[in-house]
Amino acid sequence: MEKEIIEHGFSFNRRRFLSTMSLGIGSVALGSLLMPDLLKGGGFEEEGLAPGIPHFAPKAKRVIYLFQNGAPSQQELFDYKPKLREMFGQEIPPSVRGTQRLTGMTANQASFPLVGSFVDFKQYGQSQAWVSNLMPYTSKIVDDLCFVRSMYTEAINHDPALTFLQTGSQQGNRPSMGSWLSYGLGNENKNLPNFTVLLSRGVGNGQGVYSKLWSNGFLDSVHQGVQFSKGEDPVLYLRDPEGMDRKERRDMLDKLSELNEISYQEFGDPEIAAKIKQYEMAYRMQTAVPEVMDLSKESDDIIKLYGPECLVPGTYAANCLLARKLSENGVRFVQLYHQGWDQHGNLPYEITKQAMDVDQASAALVTDLKQRGLLDETLVIWGGEFGRTSYTQGKLTPENYGRDHHPRCFTIWMAGGGIKPGIVYGETDELGYNIAKDPVHVHDFQATILHQLGLNHEKLIFKHLGRRYRLTDVSGKVVRDIIS
């Protein structure tokens, strides 16, 4: 007869113990098959769930962020202000300007004359959204878009504002939004990185972008964004070294993995484990990346939809098409940066060229995703780091002017991913200088993005150097009025 063990008021014998353990092991095995990232480590606190598992049912699986680097002028694109035209050349009222902090580029101006847009606006679609004639393709898809006209930020210069939007902090060395999503949701495609970055350039030099914007920060390095370039090798160092074939490469990686595993067992440094994963990812990407980059199978209709520039590597149109391909292949976060929107002067000429660069391809991406049945599960975002002033920077003439940085209000649009289509959220005053209704802070925006992917921004936490960090720092609320 089997001996019973009495522990904490419960009795066990060997048969019951082994039976219970087998059920537990079976459950763990099933869980690991259904959710491969179930047991991977991380810095989640007790109030959150393990990395790789959403906190609740997501409405979106992936994000494509079309970042317009340099800050597009909302007055020329999506925020129609006829009063500015009426008051052309008049001084901005002190009651409107208030005590706002100014940049060093306009702080010493003796005068701050108002200037209205040089372009005309019309209302489009059932939503009757106002769009300028600089965006004819975007005007055709307004009923798929949610315009947020009441975004605001705390930063007044490009680098901190851009860093703030991407990482939740104006200082560097924090994980980017794409890295947080990679950490929180895990891989959807084991052969491609979770987070990819694509760069393009518009008129002039514009503001630069830096690798810190797609940094993993204090998260494991497997969550860092992978930059794709326009060259012959879209991802550097993927090819086998000269004189080494695929089998030799495989054998070398196996031996290297064994050595790294020994080091990991000895030192316990998680970056050693991350390095093993990176080597394996690079090996798998050797096949996956060329397939994704190949546009030869795209139909003539798709090429026509995005425009002929989509066949020119490194252009905004090519990157939009590539973003669709990466997204449909399971990349969680595709980040585009299009430089050249910083129009402190010569705005009428430069913004016209910039709009021509991005209008058709941005609208094409939304249309393409929708016709493939992918828009519902893909959140597309379009916008910059802040807005532009209602007054001119420098000399004002009827034909030419510029606009300085303006953090108090700016416009973005969102599409898909469970966001309400065909709506305009938030309002600015009649001069487009202050928010009049429904302000949306950068942290609110970030919280809403995470929410659409099934993540509670207050529970997506990583403990580092004794502090609990999150993308939204210590604030932010989900903007539920724009969620369908």
Side-chain angles (χ1 to χ4, degrees), residues 293-304:
M293 299 293 289
D294 182 12
L295 301 181
S296 64
K297 297 179 182 178
E298 297 296 327
S299 69
D300 291 341
D301 288 341
I302 291 297
I303 302 304
K304 183 178 180 181

Side-chain angles (χ1 to χ4, degrees), residues 344-411:
H344 290 273
N346 201 23
L347 183 145
Y349 170 78
E350 291 189 5
I351 200 170
T352 299
K353 297 289 289 184
Q354 283 290 115
M356 288 177 63
D357 276 346
V358 307
D359 178 41
Q360 181 175 355
S362 299
L365 176 60
V366 173
T367 301
D368 194 7
L369 289 169
K370 185 177 181 180
Q371 65 191 15
R372 291 170 186 270
L374 296 172
L375 186 58
D376 287 343
E377 63 185 36
T378 308
L379 177 58
V380 183
I381 306 163
W382 190 104
E385 62 265 40
F386 41 58
R388 313 302 297 200
T389 55
S390 301
Y391 56 80
T392 188
Q393 176 180 339
K395 186 178 180 180
L396 172 62
T397 71
E399 295 80 26
N400 204 359
Y401 56 91
R403 298 189 190 273
D404 198 8
H405 309 164
H406 191 64
R408 283 195 180 185
C409 56
F410 61 104
T411 300

Side-chain angles (χ1 to χ4, degrees), residues 25-328:
I25 293 171
S27 299
V28 171
L30 178 60
S32 68
L33 288 173
L34 295 176
M35 291 178 289
D37 295 311
L38 177 63
L39 300 179
K40 79 178 181 182
F44 268 73
E45 298 303 309
E46 61 276 3
E47 63 266 31
L49 295 176
I53 306 175
H55 299 123
F56 45 83
K59 294 193 175 184
K61 295 180 179 179
R62 295 169 290 276
V63 175
I64 299 176
Y65 198 153
L66 308 175
F67 200 92
Q68 311 304 314
N69 187 34
S73 172
Q74 69 274 21
Q75 294 93 338
E76 271 69 36
L77 299 178
F78 305 121
D79 199 4
Y80 179 48
K81 296 299 172 188
K83 190 70 173 179
L84 280 178
R85 281 188 171 180
E86 295 176 20
M87 297 182 67
F88 178 88
Q90 296 182 37
E91 196 72 12
I92 185 170
S95 59
V96 174
R97 180 182 159 194
T99 58
Q100 182 199 0
R101 176 187 170 204
L102 303 179
T103 72
M105 292 168 285
T106 55
N108 296 321
Q109 282 189 188
S111 177
F112 297 89
L114 295 168
V115 55
S117 175
F118 72 98
V119 291
D120 293 324
F121 280 70
K122 290 182 181 179
Q123 289 178 287
Y124 295 91
Q126 292 184 350
S127 63
Q128 290 292 283
W130 289 97
V131 179
S132 86
N133 60 18
L134 292 179
M135 293 287 192
Y137 289 92
T138 302
S139 69
K140 297 176 182 177
I141 63 163
V142 292
D143 288 336
D144 294 316
L145 307 182
C146 167
F147 290 97
V148 180
R149 291 182 179 161
S150 53
M151 284 287 300
Y152 73 101
T153 184
E154 297 164 12
I156 199 169
N157 289 313
H158 294 287
D159 184 84
L162 181 52
T163 306
F164 190 40
L165 258 171
Q166 296 303 311
T167 71
S169 171
Q170 295 186 45
Q171 289 77 40
N173 302 318
R174 298 284 182 87
S176 175
M177 192 186 307
S179 297
W180 277 113
L181 286 177
S182 173
Y183 168 66
L185 296 175
N187 285 77
E188 194 173 5
N189 184 340
K190 298 294 185 182
N191 298 324
L192 288 170
N194 257 347
F195 176 19
T196 61
V197 180
L198 305 166
L199 308 181
S200 58
R201 187 181 296 276
V203 179
N205 293 321
Q207 290 296 318
V209 292
Y210 318 99
S211 58
K212 71 174 183 178
L213 299 172
W214 49 92
S215 168
N216 55 294
F218 42 69
L219 299 177
D220 287 347
S221 54
V222 292
H223 303 300
Q224 179 174 331
V226 175
Q227 182 183 343
F228 280 46
S229 69
K230 63 180 179 181
E232 184 178 350
D233 294 322
V235 180
L236 298 179
Y237 312 118
L238 272 190
R239 291 189 180 190
D240 294 326
E242 189 174 347
M244 178 181 286
D245 61 23
R246 290 284 284 172
K247 183 180 184 304
E248 291 172 324
R249 175 78 161 180
R250 180 67 267 169
D251 292 341
M252 183 273 288
L253 288 175
D254 289 341
K255 293 297 182 184
L256 186 60
S257 180
E258 291 176 11
L259 292 173
N260 281 324
E261 184 63 32
I262 292 171
S263 296
Y264 179 69
Q265 294 299 329
E266 183 175 354
F267 299 106
D269 184 352
E271 276 303 300
I272 298 175
K275 186 180 294 184
I276 296 171
K277 292 180 183 178
Q278 287 173 321
Y279 284 139
E280 291 300 320
M281 171 64 78
Y283 182 78
R284 296 192 298 270
M285 284 171 64
Q286 285 182 308
T287 299
V289 169
E291 290 179 359
V292 172
M293 299 293 289
D294 182 12
L295 301 181
S296 64
K297 297 179 182 178
E298 297 296 327
S299 69
D300 291 341
D301 288 341
I302 291 297
I303 302 304
K304 183 178 180 181
L305 181 66
Y306 284 86
E309 280 206 336
C310 74
L311 297 177
V312 181
T315 61
Y316 181 82
N319 286 348
C320 282
L321 179 52
L322 181 55
R324 186 220 80 204
K325 290 171 67 66
L326 288 165
S327 184
E328 70 179 341

